């Protein structure tokens, strides 16, 4: 190996090492496995404050509703760029373990492909039959300028033996402004939301604080609890005995979205259930 090659490889290895130090510091202060900086976007929503009662109560009862610095009102491109940095940090450990050469090139490819995921935006224009049958089919409407993108994320649990868990995060936009975030979790004893629906609801309530008003859930086939926190509305939805969704929406943008839906009622065909529509085609 000549001196120039040695120098290039040395620099390449040095950069992930430096990033690792930053990522390690962030992980120590934040529940996610690899979180973007809290100020990743201008006006980013900070993580919810811990409930009063000491560190022990906080670990068992609260849940950081927004740990990745996402702000309502941002565009799909801004969200994707924020998560570019999230994935850069997440891949640091993988680069550290890889030998220079084919393995690092493979990681380069994986990182590049991962960053493309949030750049795939679905427009709800009446041609999304798969989503029309999904568990979150009540979260969007066709023909109203609504879109969505989604990705798999990682997050640490709570308690004495926190477990890193995977969850699905969906971003909903209205005219390319983020108005709702839909996070789907599997319930586990050491997971971030606990083992059952009641425990998950209690953790979200504790995270929102006493000023959030708990009200009857929205009309739905799924059991759900709604919290009105003023600037945002948070729902906890029971998808199954071992799965829940935590849905946060900006109150002002929600009104705009619903007003838009009222002005664009579904066509006669769109009003039919997905199976009936499919049979007619």
């Amino acid at each position: 190996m000549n001196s120039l090659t040695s120098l290039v490889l040395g620099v390449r290895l040095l950069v992930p090492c430096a990033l690792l130090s930053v990522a390690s510091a962030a992980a120590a202060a934040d529940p996610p496995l690899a979180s973007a900086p809290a100020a990743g976007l201008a006006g980013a929503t900070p993580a919810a404050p811990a409930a009063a009662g000491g560190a022990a109560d906080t670990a068992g009862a609260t849940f950081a509703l927004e740990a990745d610095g996402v702000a309502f009102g941002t565009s799909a491109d801004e969200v994707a760029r924020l998560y570019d940095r999230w994935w850069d940090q997440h891949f640091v450990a993988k680069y550290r373990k890889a030998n220079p050469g084919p393995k690092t090139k493979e990681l380069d490819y994986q990182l590049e492909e991962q960053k493309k995921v949030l750049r795939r935006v679905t427009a709800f224009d009446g041609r999304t039959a798969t989503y029309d049958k999904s568990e979150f089919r009540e979260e969007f409407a066709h023909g109203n300028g609504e879109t969505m993108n989604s990705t798999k994320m990682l997050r640490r649990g709570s308690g004495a033996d926190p477990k890193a868990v995977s969850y699905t995060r969906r971003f909903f936009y209205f005219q390319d402004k983020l108005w709702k975030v839909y996070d789907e979790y599997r319930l586990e004893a050491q997971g971030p939301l606990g083992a059952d629906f009641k425990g998950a609801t209690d953790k979200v309530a504790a995270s929102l604080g006493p000023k959030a008003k708990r009200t009857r859930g929205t009309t739905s086939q799924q059991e759900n609890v709604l919290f009105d926190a003023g600037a945002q509305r948070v729902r906890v939805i029971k998808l199954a005995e071992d799965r829940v969704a935590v849905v946060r929406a900006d109150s002002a943008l929600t009104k705009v979205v619903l007003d838009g839906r009222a002005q664009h009622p579904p066509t006669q065909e769109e009003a039919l259930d997905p199976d009936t529509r499919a049979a007619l085609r």
Side-chain angles (χ1 to χ4, degrees):
M1 181 182 296
N2 60 41
S3 58
L4 178 59
T5 302
S6 299
L7 177 60
V8 171
L9 291 176
V11 170
R12 182 161 193 171
L13 289 173
L14 180 60
V15 172
C17 290
L19 286 172
L20 181 62
S21 298
V22 175
S24 298
D30 209 329
L33 191 63
S35 171
L41 290 174
T45 305
D57 291 342
T58 298
T62 60
F63 172 75
L65 292 169
E66 180 47 67
D68 297 327
V70 175
F72 290 118
T74 55
S75 68
D77 180 66
E78 288 174 315
V79 169
R81 286 190 284 109
L82 171 64
Y83 279 89
D84 283 350
R85 297 191 288 275
W86 195 98
W87 286 110
D88 283 339
Q89 292 183 3
H90 181 66
F91 268 68
V92 165
K94 295 183 179 183
Y95 276 108
R96 284 293 306 274
K97 296 177 182 178
N99 293 322
K103 186 60 178 176
T104 54
K105 289 183 179 179
E106 180 182 340
L107 288 174
D108 289 344
Y109 174 78
Q110 291 176 6
L111 180 57
E112 181 180 355
E113 290 300 302
Q114 184 61 61
K115 290 180 178 181
K116 291 179 182 178
V117 172
L118 282 176
R119 288 174 169 82
R120 299 174 190 141
V121 179
T122 297
F124 296 114
D125 55 5
R127 295 174 294 178
T128 55
T130 299
Y131 294 136
D132 291 344
K133 297 180 180 180
S134 69
E135 292 177 320
F136 59 89
R137 60 186 176 276
E138 297 176 345
E139 302 296 330
F140 62 87
H142 291 290
N144 189 41
E146 298 179 42
T147 56
M148 179 198 76
N149 56 9
S150 63
T151 187
K152 289 282 189 180
M153 302 296 295
L154 288 172
R155 185 172 189 146
R156 292 195 189 283
S158 61
D161 184 24
K163 177 183 178 181
V165 297
S166 172
Y167 69 100
T168 299
R169 167 162 279 197
R170 305 184 190 280
F171 299 97
F172 290 87
Y173 306 87
F174 175 68
Q175 297 180 350
D176 201 29
K177 291 183 179 180
L178 179 67
W179 72 282
K180 180 165 60 179
V181 180
Y182 179 107
D183 293 337
E184 181 182 322
Y185 287 91
R186 184 169 294 279
L187 295 171
E188 300 177 74
Q190 296 300 326
L193 283 169
D196 55 38
F197 179 68
K198 182 181 183 304
T201 302
D202 290 343
K203 286 200 173 189
V204 171
S207 300
L208 288 169
K211 292 184 178 180
K213 298 178 181 179
R214 177 170 175 164
T215 64
R216 178 181 297 179
T218 57
T219 302
S220 171
Q221 295 180 351
Q222 298 164 315
E223 181 181 354
N224 68 100
V225 174
L226 173 66
F227 296 94
D228 186 344
Q232 66 175 323
R233 294 161 64 86
V234 181
R235 282 177 293 139
V236 185
I237 304 172
K238 184 177 182 179
L239 302 176
E241 289 300 324
D242 63 344
R243 287 188 301 115
V244 297
V246 178
V247 187
R248 298 181 302 110
D250 181 85
S251 297
L253 286 172
T254 297
K255 184 179 185 306
V256 175
V257 173
L258 295 181
D259 287 346
R261 290 180 183 178
Q263 296 174 17
H264 300 90
T267 63
Q268 184 175 2
E269 181 181 350
E270 289 175 342
L272 300 174
D273 65 86
D275 291 331
T276 302
R277 290 207 306 270
L280 293 173
R281 288 173 182 168

